Amino acid sequence: MRRPASPLQGVTLRHAVVVIPAHDEASRLRGCVQSVLDAAAHLPFETSVVVVLDACTDGSAELAQSFGAAVHAVEVNLRNVGAARAAGFDYAKSLPTAASDDEVWYATTDADSRVDPDWLIRQIGSGADVVLGVVRVPNWRNTSTVAIRRYLSSYQTKYRPDGRGHRHVHGANMGFRAATYWQTGGFATLANDEDVDLVNRFRAAGVRIDSDRRISVSTSARPVGRAPRGFAAHLRSVATGVTTERT
Protein backbone atom coordinates (compact mmCIF):
# COMPACT_ATOMS: atom_id res chain seq x y z
CA MET A 1 0.00 0.00 0.00
CA ARG A 2 1.33 3.43 -0.93
CA ARG A 3 1.97 5.72 2.02
CA PRO A 4 0.20 9.10 2.06
CA ALA A 5 2.35 11.99 0.92
CA SER A 6 4.20 13.88 3.63
CA PRO A 7 2.69 17.33 4.36
CA LEU A 8 6.17 18.73 3.72
CA GLN A 9 6.77 16.92 0.45
CA GLY A 10 8.31 19.36 -2.01
CA VAL A 11 9.08 21.95 0.69
CA THR A 12 12.51 23.50 0.19
CA LEU A 13 12.83 25.21 3.58
CA ARG A 14 15.88 24.55 5.77
CA HIS A 15 15.18 26.46 8.97
CA ALA A 16 12.27 27.83 11.05
CA VAL A 17 12.11 30.59 13.65
CA VAL A 18 9.31 31.14 16.18
CA VAL A 19 9.11 34.49 18.00
CA ILE A 20 7.23 34.81 21.30
CA PRO A 21 6.87 38.30 22.81
CA ALA A 22 6.42 38.27 26.59
CA HIS A 23 5.77 40.89 29.26
CA ASP A 24 5.57 39.46 32.80
CA GLU A 25 4.25 36.09 31.62
CA ALA A 26 5.96 33.74 34.06
CA SER A 27 2.73 31.91 34.91
CA ARG A 28 2.04 30.96 31.28
CA LEU A 29 5.33 31.14 29.44
CA ARG A 30 6.63 27.64 30.23
CA GLY A 31 3.59 25.97 28.68
CA CYS A 32 3.83 28.17 25.60
CA VAL A 33 7.52 27.53 24.97
CA GLN A 34 7.18 23.80 25.57
CA SER A 35 4.29 23.58 23.10
CA VAL A 36 6.40 25.34 20.46
CA LEU A 37 9.33 23.00 21.08
CA ASP A 38 6.95 20.03 20.74
CA ALA A 39 5.68 21.40 17.41
CA ALA A 40 9.24 22.01 16.24
CA ALA A 41 10.15 18.39 16.96
CA HIS A 42 7.91 17.33 14.04
CA LEU A 43 10.00 19.27 11.50
CA PRO A 44 12.90 17.65 9.62
CA PHE A 45 15.09 20.72 10.11
CA GLU A 46 16.18 23.01 12.95
CA THR A 47 13.84 25.50 14.62
CA SER A 48 15.07 28.49 16.63
CA VAL A 49 12.74 29.72 19.37
CA VAL A 50 13.16 33.40 20.31
CA VAL A 51 11.45 34.72 23.45
CA VAL A 52 11.44 38.53 23.53
CA LEU A 53 11.28 39.56 27.19
CA ASP A 54 9.84 43.06 27.10
CA ALA A 55 10.35 44.90 30.41
CA CYS A 56 9.82 41.69 32.41
CA THR A 57 10.14 41.87 36.21
CA ASP A 58 8.40 38.66 37.32
CA GLY A 59 10.88 35.88 36.57
CA SER A 60 9.90 35.40 32.91
CA ALA A 61 13.54 35.92 31.90
CA GLU A 62 14.81 33.21 34.23
CA LEU A 63 12.09 30.86 33.03
CA ALA A 64 12.96 31.38 29.37
CA GLN A 65 16.66 30.93 30.10
CA SER A 66 15.94 27.65 31.92
CA PHE A 67 15.33 25.97 28.55
CA GLY A 68 19.02 26.36 27.78
CA ALA A 69 20.29 26.45 24.21
CA ALA A 70 16.88 25.42 22.85
CA VAL A 71 15.56 28.94 23.42
CA HIS A 72 17.07 32.36 22.71
CA ALA A 73 16.04 34.80 25.45
CA VAL A 74 16.22 38.41 24.25
CA GLU A 75 15.67 41.12 26.86
CA VAL A 76 14.35 44.51 25.70
CA ASN A 77 12.61 47.48 27.29
CA LEU A 78 10.12 48.53 24.62
CA ARG A 79 6.72 48.07 26.27
CA ASN A 80 5.17 47.67 22.85
CA VAL A 81 4.01 44.38 21.34
CA GLY A 82 4.67 45.39 17.73
CA ALA A 83 8.18 46.51 18.56
CA ALA A 84 8.77 43.34 20.60
CA ARG A 85 7.73 41.06 17.73
CA ALA A 86 9.91 43.08 15.35
CA ALA A 87 12.87 42.80 17.76
CA GLY A 88 12.46 39.04 17.79
CA PHE A 89 12.71 38.75 14.03
CA ASP A 90 15.56 41.27 13.91
CA TYR A 91 17.38 38.97 16.31
CA ALA A 92 16.47 35.95 14.16
CA LYS A 93 18.11 37.67 11.19
CA SER A 94 21.42 37.59 13.08
CA LEU A 95 21.30 33.88 13.90
CA PRO A 96 24.05 31.85 12.20
CA THR A 97 22.47 29.68 9.50
CA ALA A 98 23.37 28.60 6.00
CA ALA A 99 19.77 29.10 4.87
CA SER A 100 18.73 32.08 2.75
CA ASP A 101 15.57 34.10 3.50
CA ASP A 102 13.76 32.03 0.84
CA GLU A 103 14.59 28.89 2.86
CA VAL A 104 13.46 30.12 6.29
CA TRP A 105 9.96 30.02 7.77
CA TYR A 106 8.95 32.54 10.43
CA ALA A 107 6.07 32.07 12.89
CA THR A 108 4.85 33.91 15.95
CA THR A 109 2.53 33.25 18.87
CA ASP A 110 1.79 34.83 22.26
CA ALA A 111 3.15 33.89 25.66
CA ASP A 112 -0.34 33.11 27.03
CA SER A 113 -1.03 30.67 24.16
CA ARG A 114 -0.18 27.06 23.41
CA VAL A 115 0.26 25.82 19.87
CA ASP A 116 -0.87 22.43 18.63
CA PRO A 117 1.71 19.72 17.79
CA ASP A 118 0.97 20.08 14.06
CA TRP A 119 1.11 23.90 14.14
CA LEU A 120 4.34 24.32 12.19
CA ILE A 121 3.79 21.30 9.94
CA ARG A 122 0.42 22.69 8.78
CA GLN A 123 1.76 26.21 8.27
CA ILE A 124 4.77 25.15 6.25
CA GLY A 125 2.91 22.41 4.38
CA SER A 126 0.32 24.88 3.06
CA GLY A 127 2.69 26.07 0.37
CA ALA A 128 1.58 29.68 0.93
CA ASP A 129 3.74 32.73 1.62
CA VAL A 130 1.62 33.67 4.64
CA VAL A 131 -0.56 31.45 6.84
CA LEU A 132 -3.21 32.75 9.25
CA GLY A 133 -4.76 30.51 11.88
CA VAL A 134 -7.45 30.86 14.54
CA VAL A 135 -7.58 30.75 18.33
CA ARG A 136 -9.68 28.80 20.78
CA VAL A 137 -10.26 29.40 24.49
CA PRO A 138 -10.21 26.12 26.47
CA ASN A 139 -10.76 27.69 29.89
CA TRP A 140 -13.52 30.27 30.35
CA ARG A 141 -13.00 30.67 34.09
CA ASN A 142 -14.90 33.65 35.55
CA THR A 143 -16.71 34.28 32.25
CA SER A 144 -20.49 34.15 32.09
CA THR A 145 -22.28 31.65 29.87
CA VAL A 146 -23.99 34.51 28.06
CA ALA A 147 -20.64 36.15 27.28
CA ILE A 148 -19.16 32.86 26.06
CA ARG A 149 -22.07 32.22 23.70
CA ARG A 150 -21.94 35.80 22.44
CA TYR A 151 -18.21 35.54 21.74
CA LEU A 152 -18.44 32.18 19.94
CA SER A 153 -21.35 33.36 17.81
CA SER A 154 -19.47 36.50 16.80
CA TYR A 155 -16.23 34.60 16.14
CA GLN A 156 -17.88 32.07 13.87
CA THR A 157 -19.40 34.76 11.65
CA LYS A 158 -15.91 35.14 10.16
CA TYR A 159 -15.70 31.47 9.19
CA ARG A 160 -16.05 30.93 5.47
CA PRO A 161 -18.51 28.29 4.19
CA ASP A 162 -15.78 26.22 2.55
CA GLY A 163 -15.13 24.40 5.84
CA ARG A 164 -11.63 25.73 6.48
CA GLY A 165 -11.27 29.40 5.50
CA HIS A 166 -11.77 32.38 7.81
CA ARG A 167 -11.31 36.16 8.06
CA HIS A 168 -9.48 36.38 11.40
CA VAL A 169 -5.98 37.75 12.06
CA HIS A 170 -4.18 36.79 15.27
CA GLY A 171 -0.60 37.55 16.22
CA ALA A 172 -0.89 34.42 18.35
CA ASN A 173 -1.23 32.26 15.24
CA MET A 174 0.50 33.33 12.07
CA GLY A 175 3.47 32.35 9.94
CA PHE A 176 5.22 33.59 6.80
CA ARG A 177 8.28 33.11 4.67
CA ALA A 178 11.23 35.13 5.91
CA ALA A 179 11.72 36.66 2.46
CA THR A 180 8.07 37.78 2.37
CA TYR A 181 8.35 39.28 5.85
CA TRP A 182 11.42 41.37 5.04
CA GLN A 183 10.18 42.44 1.62
CA THR A 184 6.97 43.74 3.23
CA GLY A 185 8.71 45.70 5.99
CA GLY A 186 8.03 43.47 9.00
CA PHE A 187 6.09 44.32 12.15
CA ALA A 188 5.54 48.00 12.83
CA THR A 189 6.01 49.64 16.22
CA LEU A 190 2.33 49.53 17.15
CA ALA A 191 0.83 48.94 20.60
CA ASN A 192 -2.30 47.45 18.96
CA ASP A 193 -3.15 45.60 15.76
CA GLU A 194 0.45 45.11 14.69
CA ASP A 195 -0.70 41.77 13.27
CA VAL A 196 -3.55 43.32 11.23
CA ASP A 197 -1.23 46.04 9.94
CA LEU A 198 1.30 43.48 8.71
CA VAL A 199 -1.36 41.32 7.05
CA ASN A 200 -2.81 44.37 5.30
CA ARG A 201 0.64 45.01 3.81
CA PHE A 202 0.93 41.35 2.80
CA ARG A 203 -2.39 41.65 1.00
CA ALA A 204 -1.37 44.89 -0.71
CA ALA A 205 1.80 43.15 -1.91
CA GLY A 206 -0.28 40.37 -3.49
CA VAL A 207 1.48 37.47 -1.76
CA ARG A 208 -0.17 34.06 -1.35
CA ILE A 209 -2.15 33.99 1.91
CA ASP A 210 -3.79 30.87 3.32
CA SER A 211 -6.36 31.41 6.08
CA ASP A 212 -6.95 27.97 7.62
CA ARG A 213 -9.08 27.44 10.71
CA ARG A 214 -7.68 23.91 11.06
CA ILE A 215 -4.51 25.63 12.30
CA SER A 216 -5.56 26.50 15.83
CA VAL A 217 -3.85 27.54 19.05
CA SER A 218 -5.33 27.72 22.54
CA THR A 219 -5.17 31.05 24.31
CA SER A 220 -6.24 32.49 27.64
CA ALA A 221 -9.45 34.34 28.47
CA ARG A 222 -7.64 36.71 30.80
CA PRO A 223 -9.55 39.98 31.26
CA VAL A 224 -6.45 42.20 31.06
CA GLY A 225 -3.99 41.77 28.22
CA ARG A 226 -0.75 43.41 27.15
CA ALA A 227 -2.17 45.30 24.14
CA PRO A 228 -4.71 48.01 25.07
CA ARG A 229 -7.07 46.98 22.24
CA GLY A 230 -6.01 43.37 21.87
CA PHE A 231 -7.78 40.05 22.36
CA ALA A 232 -8.39 40.54 26.09
CA ALA A 233 -10.02 43.91 25.44
CA HIS A 234 -12.24 42.28 22.83
CA LEU A 235 -13.32 39.61 25.33
CA ARG A 236 -14.18 42.31 27.87
CA SER A 237 -16.29 44.12 25.31
CA VAL A 238 -18.15 40.90 24.48
CA ALA A 239 -18.87 40.35 28.17
CA THR A 240 -20.46 43.80 28.42
CA GLY A 241 -22.41 43.40 25.21
CA VAL A 242 -20.65 46.33 23.52
CA THR A 243 -18.48 44.44 21.06
CA THR A 244 -15.46 46.12 19.53
CA GLU A 245 -14.33 44.98 16.12
CA ARG A 246 -11.43 42.55 16.33
CA THR A 247 -10.24 40.48 13.43
Side-chain angles (χ1 to χ4, degrees):
M1 180 181 296
R2 180 180 297 175
R3 292 184 177 181
S6 165
L8 297 185
Q9 185 173 353
V11 170
T12 58
L13 298 176
R14 301 172 60 192
H15 192 82
V17 178
V18 179
V19 168
I20 308 167
H23 171 63
D24 287 346
E25 303 278 5
S27 64
R28 300 179 175 93
L29 185 57
R30 183 178 297 280
C32 175
V33 173
Q34 188 59 59
S35 73
V36 170
L37 292 174
D38 290 344
H42 293 272
L43 297 180
F45 45 76
E46 183 183 359
T47 299
S48 300
V49 180
V50 180
V51 178
V52 183
L53 301 146
D54 190 4
C56 291
T57 60
D58 69 338
S60 292
E62 291 79 6
L63 194 155
Q65 292 162 358
S66 72
F67 283 92
V71 174
H72 300 263
V74 181
E75 296 191 57
V76 297
N77 188 21
L78 301 168
R79 299 180 184 273
N80 180 290
V81 66
R85 285 196 210 276
F89 290 113
D90 287 345
Y91 177 87
K93 185 75 169 172
S94 70
L95 290 173
T97 174
S100 67
D101 286 347
D102 285 326
E103 299 171 316
V104 178
W105 185 259
Y106 284 170
T108 186
T109 189
D110 289 339
D112 68 332
S113 302
R114 296 191 182 192
V115 308
D116 289 347
D118 63 355
W119 185 59
L120 289 169
I121 284 277
R122 281 191 178 274
Q123 284 190 8
I124 294 169
S126 73
D129 298 308
V130 178
V131 178
L132 307 176
V134 297
V135 299
R136 64 185 187 276
V137 180
N139 188 342
W140 288 101
R141 186 184 308 167
N142 300 323
T143 306
S144 72
T145 300
V146 171
I148 295 170
R149 288 175 178 170
R150 189 182 293 138
Y151 164 79
L152 292 175
S153 177
S154 173
Y155 197 84
Q156 290 168 4
T157 62
K158 291 192 175 182
Y159 282 176
R160 295 195 173 106
D162 62 7
R164 61 181 290 270
H166 65 89
R167 294 183 290 113
H168 292 285
V169 176
H170 297 289
N173 191 357
M174 59 193 305
F176 27 81
R177 288 183 178 273
T180 302
Y181 176 82
W182 295 116
Q183 290 164 7
T184 317
F187 281 107
T189 305
L190 297 173
N192 302 282
D193 297 334
E194 80 290 347
D195 45 3
V196 176
D197 170 76
L198 180 59
V199 171
N200 285 342
R201 284 183 278 124
F202 284 146
R203 287 173 175 151
V207 302
R208 295 171 298 166
I209 300 177
D210 184 18
S211 297
D212 190 345
R213 68 178 187 252
R214 298 174 302 177
I215 303 175
S216 175
V217 306
S218 65
T219 195
S220 72
R222 61 185 180 188
V224 179
R226 307 312 182 200
R229 295 196 307 272
F231 188 65
H234 175 66
L235 291 180
R236 290 198 308 274
S237 72
V238 170
T240 61
V242 183
T243 307
T244 59
E245 180 67 12
R246 172 63 187 164
T247 57

